[in-house]
Amino acid sequence: MNSSSASRKFRALYDKALGLSRRPLVANTISYTINFGLLLVIQLVFFLFISRALGAADYGLFITIVSVSIMAGFLVGLGSEYLLLQRVAVEPQSFGRYLGHSLIMMGITFPFVLPGTIALLYVLIGDTVPLSTIAIVTLSDLLLTKLVILSAQSYMAFDRARKQIVINVLAASLKLAFLFVATLLPGSLTLQEWAWWYFAAGILSALAACWLVLRDLGRPTFTLIRADLKLSLLYCIEFFAIGGMKDLDKPVVVHTLSADAGGQYAAGFRIIDAASAPVRAFLYATYTRHFRQAQDGQASSLAFGVKLLPVTVFLALPVAAFLLLIAGFIPLVLGEDFAQTPTVVMCLAFYPLLMGFSGVGADILRATGRQRVRMALLISTSLLLIPVVSLGAALGGLAGAALFRFGIQIALTAGTWFFIFWTKVPAPEPDETAG
């Protein structure tokens, strides 16, 4: 092959790659991959700092507070941020009304969720952590983190992935920066001290995110959209169950075993979650397109979802191999307090693959109006999570908890795809959006 022929072939490949990168789906996938890649680096560095600074026991308590607070955060606004995403993705001109609706719903629900969450956490961990520490971390996640999420969802509704990157990376970076400063101060960092640094980072993140949305997307129109309250509530229940599936196992392990064991388990899951960034980026990049595909009927939505599965496998299998490869080195990085964390990582190495399969299936169910089916699956598996993980921990320690947790995810994934093929799409209802 002469040099001119090789040059032409290289140019053709370059043009093809450039053309692909200009397609919206590919461009957004790249953007979300960058987003989650940056978040992965930041979260790993944050995790290394916080786990070493607090130790396994205090880290386990901190993760317990954060996990329960994040779950309770889904009740704040009653799913209005996800309603905004669905409606605005199809009707961009309705953004102001749905943003105002979301803020009203947050204002109504927040005063009820906050005291209930603090009371639940106090029951779970008792006098181990001061009530003021529980309150300040809970306040950060229920209000400040919620505003950051609402802002990110607003940009996602317009497929403006780059601005979503700015918001997500800024929020994570501020927590890392404040943690770094806190660890430089004399003396060891305590959970009580870290709570206030965490709160300060949350304030700055929320202010910056809200300012960007107001500048780029416009102001809210404060109106309560009563016709969409039912759909919003379905989103709330569904994502509350998703939050339970993601985070409820941490406090269960702390309660069943110990704070130290819970910290090691949470560390392993944090590594799994961070390594899932490529799969999560792909799910985010394709999310709004499920709704558009569903406009052409169930067959179109299903065909689109099935096309995504090989890509999910392509992204998840290297992640699993990487996790299995590096698991044994984790205590060298985190310290001897996390000696059992490699076991958790190895047991959950294929979790990103299941997350991708169930995520694609969930998007199909949502887009085709079968939220109730998806909700039933999530609620049932979330309710099973507490006794199943508790039983696994009692029988096999951290390995048992991780394996039983993996079994719950298998059941959710299998159930999701079973109901995709065996449930009928409901007849469309009139789209009433008048407040």
Side-chain angles (χ1 to χ4, degrees):
M1 181 183 297
N2 58 44
S3 59
S4 60
S5 176
S7 176
R8 285 195 299 272
K9 288 189 175 183
F10 176 80
R11 182 66 184 178
L13 288 173
Y14 174 80
D15 290 340
K16 184 177 180 180
L18 186 62
L20 285 173
S21 68
R22 287 172 177 167
R23 295 182 180 179
L25 178 58
V26 176
N28 276 344
T29 301
I30 293 172
S31 294
Y32 282 117
T33 300
I34 295 171
N35 178 18
F36 285 108
L38 289 172
L39 287 176
L40 170 63
V41 174
I42 295 169
Q43 288 172 355
L44 283 177
V45 176
F46 177 84
F47 168 67
L48 292 175
F49 270 96
I50 196 71
S51 58
R52 282 188 169 275
L54 297 181
D58 275 358
Y59 179 71
L61 292 170
F62 173 67
I63 289 298
T64 297
I65 299 172
V66 170
S67 297
V68 173
S69 298
I70 289 175
M71 281 182 57
F74 290 110
L75 300 177
V76 176
L78 296 181
S80 54
E81 69 273 26
Y82 300 100
L83 174 68
L84 178 149
L85 177 56
Q86 176 175 342
R87 294 304 196 206
V88 176
V90 179
E91 301 176 11
Q93 69 276 9
S94 65
F95 171 71
R97 295 176 64 245
Y98 280 96
L99 178 61
H101 172 80
S102 296
L103 293 173
I104 290 174
M105 293 301 297
M106 288 176 61
I108 293 173
T109 54
F110 173 75
F112 296 96
V113 178
L114 178 62
T117 306
I118 294 174
L120 174 61
L121 281 166
Y122 187 73
V123 170
L124 285 175
I125 58 182
D127 296 327
T128 310
V129 179
L131 189 60
S132 59
T133 300
I134 296 174
I136 200 66
V137 175
T138 302
L139 176 63
S140 301
D141 286 324
L142 289 186
L143 181 60
L144 303 176
T145 300
K146 193 71 176 184
L147 288 171
V148 172
I149 292 172
L150 176 61
S151 301
Q153 295 287 77
S154 298
Y155 282 110
M156 187 177 178
F158 287 95
D159 279 337
R160 297 181 65 173
R162 292 181 182 179
K163 280 298 176 66
Q164 191 177 352
I165 291 174
V166 172
I167 290 176
N168 290 336
V169 171
L170 176 63
S173 298
L174 282 171
K175 290 179 183 177
L176 176 60
F178 277 53
L179 174 62
F180 180 70
V181 172
T183 56
L184 291 178
L185 297 177
S188 58
L189 181 66
T190 66
L191 178 55
Q192 292 86 345
E193 294 169 343
W194 167 239
W196 290 100
W197 289 97
Y198 187 78
F199 180 65
I203 291 176
L204 291 179
S205 300
L207 288 174
C210 292
W211 176 77
L212 284 172
V213 168
L214 293 174
R215 186 195 68 177
D216 296 338
L217 303 179
R219 296 180 179 181
T221 301
F222 289 100
T223 178
L224 191 63
I225 307 175
R226 294 181 178 84
D228 276 340
L229 288 177
K230 183 178 179 181
L231 177 60
S232 179
L233 182 60
L234 288 174
Y235 270 122
C236 171
I237 297 172
E238 178 182 358
F239 280 93
F240 181 79
I242 290 175
M245 281 294 294
K246 182 181 178 183
D247 290 315
L248 195 57
D249 51 339
K250 285 83 171 179
V252 168
V253 173
V254 170
H255 183 74
T256 305
L257 298 177
S258 66
D260 181 79
Q264 297 189 68
Y265 180 87
F269 208 96
R270 182 69 67 183
I271 293 169
I272 295 291
D273 189 54
S276 303
V279 176
R280 194 178 298 107
F282 185 65
L283 292 176
Y284 265 73
T286 57
Y287 180 78
T288 56
R289 298 184 181 275
H290 283 277
F291 294 111
R292 297 181 188 125
Q293 291 291 329
Q295 300 297 313
D296 297 327
Q298 180 185 9
S300 175
S301 178
L302 179 59
F304 178 70
V306 170
K307 287 181 181 179
L308 301 181
L309 296 182
V311 182
T312 303
V313 174
F314 174 78
L315 293 172
L317 288 185
V319 169
F322 172 75
L323 290 168
L324 293 172
L325 182 65
I326 60 97
F329 299 98
I330 292 172
L332 299 177
V333 179
L334 301 184
E336 291 303 319
D337 279 357
F338 297 88
Q340 296 185 63
T341 297
T343 301
V344 177
V345 172
M346 287 187 287
C347 290
L348 296 172
F350 288 92
Y351 181 87
L353 177 63
L354 294 178
M355 184 190 75
F357 272 55
S358 63
V360 171
D363 290 341
I364 294 173
L365 290 175
R366 290 190 200 104
T368 53
R370 288 176 282 181
Q371 287 93 341
R372 289 182 180 84
V373 175
R374 176 61 172 156
M375 184 177 64
L377 284 167
L378 286 168
I379 291 175
S380 59
T381 49
S382 295
L383 291 175
L384 283 172
L385 191 66
I386 297 176
V388 168
V389 172
S390 180
L391 177 63
L395 293 176
L398 290 182
L403 288 174
F404 277 53
R405 172 68 180 84
F406 191 73
I408 290 289
Q409 191 66 29
I410 292 175
L412 175 61
T413 304
T416 298
W417 282 96
F418 174 83
F419 282 105
I420 284 174
F421 289 102
W422 288 94
T423 59
K424 295 181 180 179
V425 177
E429 298 179 358
D431 184 14
E432 300 176 4
T433 58

